[in-house]
Amino acid sequence: MSKNIVEIRWHGRGGQGAKTASLLLADAAFVTGKYVQGFPEYGPERMGAPITAYNRISDERCTVHSNIYYPDYVAVVDESLLESVDVTKGLKEDGAIVINSAKDPEELRPLLKGYKGKVCTIDARRISEETLGKNFPNTPMLAAMVKVTQVVEENAFIQQMEASYKHKFASKPQVIEGNMVALKRSMEEVKGL
């Protein structure tokens, strides 16, 4: 596989937006000229059940279409999954894991089955509640993943997301503003970089 392919695995629960975040990341990377894949792994999903989604982002066409078994990065949208899902399985040591948690990265390391790589946290719940009025962890998690992975240049990402939100929420300008504040704050508040 080409050296310039970045593979990301998302872990969340049904209804938290992990699949949506992976698709938004794929869209943002595509607009900046990358080749992308963003796809969920479907099983018997229901609200609250563990789900997995994936991204492949590359500078050249990617012909691999399997699940991702050795990701460069992992996003954990729900901290409670650390106890029930092996979120670090296959995770490359030179990559990183980004966890939605109010805790410091080193507090969570003991739950990561000996993973030696970089551990980052973002308090996605607090940020989304303060900026959007509800717990929508996927927006802060998306921004945190861009910050940690650098798969999309940060200013290009912010511009792309603003254009996307203006199109998607044309009749709700307050939603656009809240999401933009959430994205920018999340990029600043990632711990463990």
Side-chain angles (χ1 to χ4, degrees), residues 1-3 5-11 39 41 52-57 64 66-75 86-96 115:
M1 219 185 308
S2 172
K3 275 275 190 218
I5 294 177
V6 175
E7 296 184 318
I8 300 168
R9 186 174 65 217
W10 296 77
H11 292 280
F39 54 98
E41 179 178 354
T52 311
Y54 304 93
N55 286 113
R56 275 194 188 90
I57 300 172
V64 178
S66 64
N67 283 351
I68 293 172
Y69 301 102
Y70 301 100
D72 299 291
Y73 300 95
V74 167
D86 185 1
V87 296
T88 58
K89 184 175 184 179
L91 178 57
K92 295 176 184 165
E93 300 263 320
D94 62 351
Y115 178 67

Side-chain angles (χ1 to χ4, degrees), residues 29 39 62 152 170:
F39 54 98
C62 178
V152 180

Side-chain angles (χ1 to χ4, degrees), residues 1-98:
M1 219 185 308
S2 172
K3 275 275 190 218
N4 68 352
I5 294 177
V6 175
E7 296 184 318
I8 300 168
R9 186 174 65 217
W10 296 77
H11 292 280
R13 292 189 182 279
Q16 290 179 326
K19 178 183 111 177
T20 300
S22 78
L23 298 177
L24 287 170
L25 180 58
D27 287 347
F30 177 77
V31 169
T32 65
K34 304 269 189 189
Y35 289 91
V36 301
Q37 294 177 5
F39 54 98
E41 179 178 354
Y42 283 112
E45 273 79 27
R46 60 195 183 286
M47 195 66 96
I51 66 112
T52 311
Y54 304 93
N55 286 113
R56 275 194 188 90
I57 300 172
S58 176
D59 293 326
E60 49 196 51
R61 188 174 302 282
C62 178
T63 56
V64 178
H65 294 283
S66 64
N67 283 351
I68 293 172
Y69 301 102
Y70 301 100
D72 299 291
Y73 300 95
V74 167
V76 181
V77 183
D78 189 314
E79 181 180 358
S80 72
L81 291 170
L82 298 179
E83 294 163 19
S84 58
V85 175
D86 185 1
V87 296
T88 58
K89 184 175 184 179
L91 178 57
K92 295 176 184 165
E93 300 263 320
D94 62 351
I97 185 168
V98 182

Side-chain angles (χ1 to χ4, degrees), residues 87-140:
V87 296
T88 58
K89 184 175 184 179
L91 178 57
K92 295 176 184 165
E93 300 263 320
D94 62 351
I97 185 168
V98 182
I99 304 164
N100 172 11
S101 176
K103 295 177 180 155
D104 284 321
E106 291 311 311
E107 289 180 74
L108 297 176
R109 191 174 289 280
L111 301 174
L112 301 179
K113 301 187 190 291
Y115 178 67
K116 305 260 187 291
K118 188 182 290 187
V119 178
C120 300
T121 58
I122 180 78
D123 192 345
R125 171 188 279 273
R126 181 181 49 78
I127 292 170
S128 69
E129 286 176 349
E130 290 174 4
T131 58
L132 303 168
K134 280 188 171 167
N135 183 17
F136 293 123
N138 62 339
T139 298

